[in-house]
Amino acid sequence: MGVAILKSRAQLGTVAPPVTIEVFLSGGLPGFSIVGMPATAVRESKDRVRSAILSTGFKFPLEKITVSLGPADMPKTGGRFDLAIALGILAATRQLPVDGFDNVEFFAELALNGELRRVPGVLPAALRAQEAGHTMIVASDNGYEAALVSDRVFAAQSLPEVTAHLAGRHKLAPVTSPPPGEAATFRDLADVRGQAHAKRALEVAAAGAHNLLLVGPPGTGKSMLAARLPGILPRMTESEAIETAAIESVLGRPLNLGRW
C-alpha cells in the first residue's frame, strides 16, 4: 500500500485551475482506475503510462491503482496529466523519492517509449505556476513557451530524465527564454492608392479600438486593406501580448518565440 500526491493544472480556456493528482495503491486484484471527471484522452492515459513505465526499465505494480484528479467536479481533458500519473505510481511503489514533489507542477504527455510530448495550454499554466511560486517540469518542446513567463522551468525529453532530476542523480538545467528577435514587419497603408474613405475607417478603428467589418464585391480591396491594418495598430503592451499568446497556446499553435 502506498500513496503519492502531485500537482498539475487543467485547461479551461485560458484559465489554468490547479489539479491535485493522488495515486493510491492497495491490495486486491490488479486494476487501474482514474476518477475525477476524466475525458477519454485522460482515461486512455492508463495504457500510455503503463507502457512508458515498463519500456523505461521501471516496474509496474500488480496492485489496484486508483488515481484521483481533484477537484472531482471539474472536467479534465488531454494528455497533460500523463507525466504526473506515472511519477505518482513510481513514488507510491518507492521507486522514486516521495519528497521531491513539493511546489512542483508537471505537464507532459507520455509516448509509449517514455518520451515526453508537448501539450497545448502550457503558457496559461506557466502564468499561474509563476504566481504560485511553483516550479514546472514540461516536455522539451514546451520549455521555451513556459519560460516566457516563468523563471522556474525545467524541460526534459523522457521519463528517465525527470526521475533522475527528482532523485538528485542528474539535475536538469533551468530553461531560459529565447533572446528577442527582430520586430515584425507589416504592409504599409501608404501603398494603397485612393480608397480614402476606407483608409479613414481603418484609422478610426485602429485608434479607437473599434470593431471593423469590410463589405463589398470581389476586387474592391478588402483583403488589401485588412492586410495593412496591423501596421497602424498601436504596439501591444506586455500583458496584451501575453494574453494573445495564451490563446495561441491553448489552440495548440506554435508561438513565434523569437519575436518576444
Side-chain angles (χ1 to χ4, degrees):
M1 183 179 296
V3 63
I5 301 175
L6 298 91
K7 299 180 181 67
S8 186
R9 291 182 184 271
Q11 178 184 326
L12 296 176
T14 57
V15 180
V19 172
T20 301
I21 297 99
E22 299 172 286
V23 180
F24 180 72
L25 272 61
S26 60
L29 294 175
F32 196 157
S33 61
I34 300 178
V35 298
M37 291 189 70
T40 301
V42 181
R43 293 195 298 269
E44 290 175 346
S45 68
K46 295 183 291 186
D47 298 314
R48 295 192 296 270
V49 167
R50 183 178 184 276
S51 298
I53 288 177
L54 291 175
S55 63
T56 51
F58 294 101
K59 295 181 180 179
F60 191 82
L62 297 178
E63 301 180 57
K64 173 65 176 178
I65 303 172
T66 303
V67 177
S68 175
L69 306 177
D73 59 348
M74 182 175 64
K76 320 296 189 307
T77 60
R80 59 175 48 213
F81 306 112
D82 287 6
L83 177 59
I85 293 173
L87 294 173
I89 292 174
L90 296 179
T93 55
R94 300 300 184 264
Q95 299 180 74
L96 190 66
V98 296
D99 56 355
F101 304 136
D102 295 338
N103 300 323
V104 183
E105 300 183 8
F106 302 92
F107 303 87
E109 179 182 322
L110 283 173
L112 299 184
N113 62 356
E115 292 183 356
L116 304 189
R117 292 175 174 167
R118 72 182 306 274
V119 295
V122 163
L123 186 58
L127 282 168
R128 303 297 176 263
Q130 177 75 357
E131 293 172 358
H134 291 172
T135 298
M136 296 182 68
I137 296 182
V138 300
S140 294
D141 289 343
N142 282 130
Y144 282 142
E145 179 181 340
L148 287 173
V149 294
S150 175
D151 56 2
R152 304 176 65 179
V153 177
F154 296 93
Q157 294 183 343
S158 65
L159 177 61
E161 288 186 11
V162 178
T163 58
H165 172 79
L166 295 173
R169 296 191 303 270
H170 187 275
K171 288 292 186 179
L172 297 169
V175 181
T176 57
S177 58
E182 297 181 359
T185 57
F186 303 101
R187 298 178 182 179
D188 196 338
L189 188 61
D191 295 337
V192 180
R193 301 297 178 88
Q195 299 280 15
H197 292 295
K199 290 193 289 186
R200 175 61 177 165
L202 258 65
E203 293 167 354
V204 171
H210 303 301
N211 295 325
L212 185 66
L213 176 63
L214 300 175
V215 180
T220 54
K222 300 186 300 298
S223 299
M224 176 182 62
L225 290 165
R228 285 157 175 79
L229 177 60
I232 61 174
L233 288 173
R235 187 175 180 86
M236 286 192 293
T237 64
E238 182 177 355
S239 61
E240 290 171 339
I242 291 175
E243 183 179 355
T244 303
I247 297 173
E248 295 291 306
S249 175
V250 169
L251 293 175
R253 299 172 182 170
L255 303 182
N256 192 344
L257 301 177
R259 290 181 177 172
W260 279 69

